[in-house]
């Protein structure tokens, strides 16, 4: 998945916490996020009278605006690597949490993991229908 495809997918699924996200989708989003924070931080040289800067305001706005897509792509990436979504709370631990999440999100996809985990309290899917019995051979007419 290319950079542009990844970013389009993240913005298209900005509030979708179900499904999966590939490693490239997640890591391209991390690259864009870091570049945006760095670019908005460059405006830190423009100071206001009260002591704040344009950079801190722009960085804060970007962080708030990108919060939901970041959480969504992280949850989908964790699911793809077969980890429960609760690991997203590692974001709350300043430095070590980011390291733990980076390691978890760098894991390859688990091919045998279920595609979509059922919601808590949801009715489990019906089991597949049993295979049809083999057809009886047609009678032979030997005349």
């Amino acid at each position: 998945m290319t950079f542009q495809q990844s970013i389009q997918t993240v913005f298209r699924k900005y509030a979708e916490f179900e499904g999966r996200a590939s490693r490239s989708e997640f890591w391209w989003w991390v690259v864009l996020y870091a570049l945006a924070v760095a670019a908005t931080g460059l405006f830190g040289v423009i100071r206001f009278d009260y002591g704040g800067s344009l950079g801190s305001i722009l960085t804060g706005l970007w962080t708030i605006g990108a919060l939901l897509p970041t959480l969504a792509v992280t949850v989908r990436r964790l699911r793809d690597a077969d980890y429960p979504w609760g690991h997203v709370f590692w974001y709350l631990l300043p430095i070590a949490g980011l390291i733990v999440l980076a390691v978890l999100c760098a894991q390859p996809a688990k091919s045998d993991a279920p595609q979509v985990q059922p919601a808590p309290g949801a009715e489990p899917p019906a089991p597949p229908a049993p295979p049809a019995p083999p057809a009886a051979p047609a009678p032979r007419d030997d005349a």
Side-chain angles (χ1 to χ4, degrees):
M1 186 176 271
T2 66
F3 178 78
Q4 185 176 1
Q5 290 171 332
S6 299
I7 301 310
Q8 287 174 346
T9 303
V10 170
F11 279 122
R12 190 174 55 248
K13 297 180 175 183
Y14 75 95
E16 188 175 315
F17 290 85
E18 295 182 3
R20 296 166 170 256
S22 66
R23 281 193 284 186
S24 61
E25 179 183 342
F26 176 79
W27 289 110
W28 281 125
W29 174 255
V30 170
V31 168
L32 175 76
Y33 189 92
L35 288 174
V37 168
T40 57
L42 292 176
F43 289 97
V45 297
I46 302 172
R47 300 276 178 194
F48 296 123
D49 292 337
Y50 62 85
S53 70
L54 181 61
S56 62
I57 292 172
L58 292 176
T59 301
L61 289 174
W62 165 253
T63 302
I64 290 169
L67 177 64
L68 191 58
T70 301
L71 290 175
V73 75
T74 303
V75 167
R76 292 194 316 267
R77 178 68 210 128
L78 287 169
R79 182 173 293 119
D80 190 49
D82 203 26
Y83 293 108
W85 67 268
H87 282 291
V88 78
F89 290 110
W90 283 107
Y91 273 130
L92 299 175
L93 194 61
I95 295 171
L98 293 177
I99 294 170
V100 169
L101 268 177
V103 169
L104 293 178
C105 290
Q107 300 303 313
K110 306 291 186 203
S111 60
D112 58 346
Q115 285 295 324
V116 177
Q117 297 175 351
E123 189 174 309
R140 295 181 56 184
D141 190 21
D142 293 332

